[in-house]
Amino acid sequence: MRHNKKFNHLGRTASHRNAMLSNMACSLIKHKRITTTVAKAKALKKFVEPLLTKAKDDTTNSRRVVFSNLQDKFAVTELFKEISVKIADRPGGYTRIIKTGHRLGDNAEMCFIELVDYNENMAKEKVVKKATRTRRSKKSATAAEATTAAPVVEEPKEESAE
């Protein structure tokens, strides 16, 4: 029985899994968005979000803890210099998983995982639409198009000198 065993092994040994998650986390930090399978993205989310929380506190110990997980100096520098500044006021939920469909070869469910604060399209406030006009019948729509398409030009009237 698998009571309370929630960890996804991803079909890999522990060392392979740790190396893969570390490399994926470095790629996510450097590129801000990566494409992967849904299972790997969910495992990566559990791996990288505590590191992002740790990066909010820029101390020597937190840098050492993050470096021990990532093993990449450039990713750690990027994380503490740029990303931690952007996520400083966010209480959690630093990543977003968006499903993109199935892979052509093996039909694996694909997605991309991204850092929430780095997607400009999602960050914009959604514009609230006003009430739309009611739909007109086809006859009145064609009549309205005919009147707007061909504007009537009036000829100037000649003034008579009486």
Side-chain angles (χ1 to χ4, degrees):
M1 291 185 204
R2 53 182 310 272
H3 292 300
N4 205 21
K5 297 187 182 190
K6 299 176 184 175
F7 190 74
N8 189 353
H9 296 285
L10 300 172
R12 289 162 171 81
T13 62
S15 59
H16 185 186
R17 187 172 53 251
N18 290 335
M20 182 191 67
L21 290 174
S22 174
N23 289 333
M24 287 175 68
C26 291
S27 296
L28 180 65
I29 289 167
K30 289 177 185 174
H31 303 293
K32 312 302 188 266
R33 174 190 289 179
I34 57 173
T35 303
T36 183
T37 62
V38 173
K40 285 182 190 174
K42 288 179 180 178
L44 177 61
K45 188 171 188 162
K46 285 187 177 183
F47 181 83
V48 79
E49 292 219 356
L51 298 180
L52 294 170
T53 303
K54 184 69 83 171
K56 289 163 79 171
D57 182 30
D58 192 4
T59 61
T60 305
N61 183 50
S62 63
R63 280 182 179 263
R64 285 178 178 165
V65 169
V66 170
F67 181 76
S68 71
N69 285 309
L70 295 181
Q71 296 294 318
D72 187 355
K73 278 195 282 189
F74 300 110
V76 172
T77 305
E78 171 108 4
L79 179 61
F80 279 90
K81 294 280 185 202
E82 294 179 20
I83 297 174
S84 64
V85 174
K86 270 200 152 182
I87 64 171
D89 58 338
R90 184 176 289 276
Y94 311 111
T95 57
R96 174 187 298 127
I97 296 175
I98 299 176
K99 296 180 181 179
T100 58
H102 295 277
R103 188 161 50 199
L104 193 59
D106 60 353
N107 207 29
E109 196 174 5
M110 298 297 288
C111 68
F112 57 82
I113 182 169
E114 65 183 2
L115 296 175
V116 171
D117 294 317
Y118 283 90
N119 189 343
E120 293 82 22
N121 296 333
M122 294 281 208
K124 292 180 183 174
E125 295 283 330
K126 293 192 176 183
V127 179
V128 179
K129 292 184 178 180
K130 294 182 181 177
T132 58
R133 293 183 289 171
T134 58
R135 188 175 175 122
R136 295 185 233 159
S137 66
K138 290 183 181 178
K139 291 179 183 177
S140 62
T142 55
E145 288 174 8
T147 57
T148 57
V152 177
V153 178
E154 294 182 18
E155 296 180 13
K157 296 180 181 178
E158 295 181 18
E159 294 181 17
S160 60
E162 290 180 9

